[in-house]
Amino acid sequence: MLKILQLTKKFPSPLLDGEILAIYNLGRSLTEMGCEVSLLSMNTTRHLSLEHNPTELSHYHYVESVVVDNRIKIVDAFINLFSNRSYHIERFI
């Protein structure tokens, strides 16, 4: 049996938009093909999802979400002006 880890930037529940539906359908389709699919997703402040229907995600072998505070902080953005790194990437690290 093929084991797959699906990494996503949005938690796929509730099923509200196209990206979430695509994540959900990919995981479900892989499971129907005989794969063991586990899910690891970012739960960002913009797309925070604290509620989910367990039956929606029953096709996953294991589900884990990591809360990521990706809000733009004025002081951090200003300090980053003197850096050679992208602030858009830095706030996810």
Side-chain angles (χ1 to χ4, degrees), residues 46-64:
R46 182 173 176 194
H47 302 110
L48 191 60
S49 175
L50 297 176
E51 300 177 17
H52 67 277
N53 182 350
T55 58
E56 277 181 355
L57 305 175
S58 63
H59 59 276
Y60 288 109
H61 176 71
Y62 181 75
V63 176
E64 181 73 34

Side-chain angles (χ1 to χ4, degrees), residues 40-88:
L40 175 60
S41 67
M42 282 196 306
N43 212 348
T44 63
T45 45
R46 182 173 176 194
H47 302 110
L48 191 60
S49 175
L50 297 176
E51 300 177 17
H52 67 277
N53 182 350
T55 58
E56 277 181 355
L57 305 175
S58 63
H59 59 276
Y60 288 109
H61 176 71
Y62 181 75
V63 176
E64 181 73 34
S65 71
V66 178
V67 177
V68 176
D69 180 9
N70 66 333
R71 292 177 292 179
I72 296 175
K73 298 170 186 82
I74 300 300
V75 174
D76 292 343
F78 179 75
I79 292 170
N80 187 266
L81 288 173
F82 305 101
S83 168
N84 62 352
R85 301 172 101 182
S86 168
Y87 180 65
H88 293 294

Side-chain angles (χ1 to χ4, degrees), residues 3-54:
K3 294 183 179 185
I4 296 175
L5 175 61
Q6 187 178 11
L7 302 172
T8 64
K9 64 180 181 129
K10 267 185 173 177
F11 192 73
S13 181
L15 302 174
L16 295 176
D17 65 22
E19 181 179 2
I20 292 174
L21 285 170
I23 292 167
Y24 171 82
N25 286 326
L26 176 63
R28 190 184 51 149
S29 296
L30 289 169
T31 301
E32 289 173 358
M33 293 174 59
C35 301
E36 181 181 288
V37 183
S38 296
L39 173 71
L40 175 60
S41 67
M42 282 196 306
N43 212 348
T44 63
T45 45
R46 182 173 176 194
H47 302 110
L48 191 60
S49 175
L50 297 176
E51 300 177 17
H52 67 277
N53 182 350

